[in-house]
Amino acid sequence: MPIFHATPMKPLRRSTLACLIVLALSLTACGSEANSAGSAANDDRPVVLTTFTVLADIAQNVAGDKLRVESITKPGAEIHGYEPTPGDIRKAGKADLILDNGMHLEAWFAKFVQDLDAPHSVMTEGVEPINIAEDAYKDMPNPHAWMSPANVQIYVDNMMKAFTKLDPANAATYESNGAAYKASLQEVQDELVAKLSVLPQSQRALVSCEGAFSYLARDAGLTEKYIWAVNAEQQATPQQIASAIEFVRDNQVPAVFCESTVSPAPMEQVVEATDAVFGGTLYVDSLSEVDGPVPTYLELIRHDSKVITDALTGALATGAAP
């Protein structure tokens, strides 16, 4: 990048200097974009496009350096009501394989891919669904299957099959990477179950704002209770909050939780009306930026598991009133 100097004999005016700085920065930005585009153009690996960041991270662990894995959504984005952009359409048009969660999570997905030639694979194929019990989504499968480390092992199996079909030459790599990643998932699952085993049966409950933890609760032997079933488009109703309060009181639940993408205000009312404490914030629908608290799926599920077990067992360990 050229460097502009003002000579002692004829100093540049401030306005002129400002323009030159803007020009230099613009050239740098253009150069960065060109370099990025050039780098992608020189990368001849097959492109795997996922619908959200959690899938992208899991896929990257299976793919290793053999595939170029990208996500349609960015870190922190809400996946349920996402609306694809023209840039997303262009990106998908260049993909060799598209991975989606399924179970009606990506309501926008069918229209998004209807005119694309790229094959797509559904990651929840083979997962035993848990149906939503109430609200407008009653009897539909709960889409948050990735919140179970056991289910994600099925995701990994589906990815290994899809990647091997896409790139048979590297099948052994995908199988090896997948096996190692599944072992890490099982460690998280085993630790979660072991830490919660000290809880009395009546207090083995996971109370959250959204019903996003049905699969995790099932696998950990917890009873699930939530204020609303799926990310609410409106405020929680008094009846929903009253139902949560009654459940917490009846079961002497020591701690309750809320997800990072919704307001904790309704759950704060539950805390105020009971002896439960607010156990912490849980992550579900998206990873964070690289320097955030949950930049990978394993860190997300470990974070949530630790927050849940620390809060539920902490009150018991300290002798605090449940």
Side-chain angles (χ1 to χ4, degrees):
M1 181 181 72
I3 301 176
F4 300 93
H5 296 281
T7 64
M9 295 297 294
K10 191 176 182 180
L12 291 173
R13 294 181 179 178
R14 291 183 179 180
S15 59
T16 303
L17 180 59
C19 290
L20 291 174
I21 291 173
V22 170
L23 175 60
L25 292 174
S26 298
L27 291 172
T28 300
C30 291
S32 298
E33 291 179 6
N35 289 337
S36 176
S39 176
N42 294 330
D43 188 345
D44 60 356
R45 294 175 298 170
V47 176
V48 175
L49 184 64
T50 69
T51 49
F52 65 119
T53 56
V54 170
L55 285 187
D57 181 69
I58 298 167
Q60 190 65 71
N61 278 275
V62 178
D65 61 358
K66 303 303 182 183
L67 303 171
R68 181 151 57 95
V69 180
E70 300 177 356
S71 171
I72 294 174
T73 61
K74 301 294 187 293
E78 169 59 55
I79 182 64
H80 293 274
Y82 183 75
E83 295 184 5
T85 67
D88 296 331
I89 303 296
R90 290 192 296 271
K91 183 184 292 186
K94 299 177 182 179
D96 297 288
L97 173 67
I98 298 176
L99 306 182
D100 69 300
N101 183 79
M103 292 187 173
H104 307 290
L105 174 70
E106 304 96 337
W108 44 271
F109 187 74
K111 184 177 181 180
F112 180 71
V113 300
Q114 64 184 3
D115 296 324
L116 300 177
D117 294 329
H120 85 271
S121 181
V122 180
M123 294 300 95
T124 52
E125 183 176 346
V127 171
E128 182 181 350
I130 297 175
N131 287 346
I132 297 170
E134 58 189 62
D135 293 349
Y137 302 93
K138 183 178 180 180
D139 296 331
M140 293 178 65
N142 189 315
H144 301 93
W146 68 90
M147 291 310 297
S148 156
N151 282 346
V152 174
Q153 294 186 51
I154 298 175
Y155 282 45
V156 170
D157 287 338
N158 289 331
M159 288 177 182
M160 288 191 293
K161 292 177 185 176
F163 295 171
T164 296
K165 185 175 181 179
L166 174 67
D167 179 30
N170 289 304
T173 297
Y174 305 137
E175 183 176 355
S176 176
N177 290 346
Y181 193 66
K182 287 168 67 175
S184 297
L185 293 166
Q186 191 61 47
E187 288 178 6
V188 177
Q189 173 71 24
D190 292 344
E191 183 177 6
L192 174 65
V193 172
K195 286 188 174 180
L196 291 174
S197 64
V198 301
L199 282 174
Q201 191 61 41
S202 63
Q203 295 179 17
R204 298 179 61 82
L206 178 55
V207 181
S208 59
C209 288
E210 183 192 5
F213 299 93
S214 299
Y215 299 94
L216 184 149
R218 177 195 64 191
D219 295 347
L222 299 172
T223 299
E224 182 190 30
K225 177 63 179 177
Y226 44 78
I227 295 179
W228 56 78
V230 178
N231 270 350
E233 297 179 359
Q234 66 280 337
Q235 296 295 320
T237 66
Q239 292 80 6
Q240 289 173 323
I241 296 174
S243 177
I245 290 172
E246 181 181 11
F247 179 88
V248 170
R249 285 176 175 169
D250 289 349
N251 293 279
Q252 298 181 309
V253 179
V256 296
F257 310 88
C258 203
E259 297 73 44
S260 64
T261 53
V262 298
S263 169
M267 192 59 77
E268 290 169 357
Q269 294 183 51
V270 176
V271 171
E272 291 173 1
T274 67
D275 292 325
V277 299
F278 184 73
T281 299
L282 304 176
Y283 293 84
V284 179
D285 292 334
S286 177
L287 302 181
S288 65
E289 296 286 356
V290 175
D291 58 351
V294 291
T296 70
Y297 172 74
L298 279 177
E299 287 173 287
L300 180 152
I301 202 68
R302 283 175 177 146
H303 166 91
D304 285 1
S305 296
K306 186 176 189 306
V307 168
I308 291 167
T309 55
D310 284 357
L312 291 181
T313 62
L316 185 71
T318 59

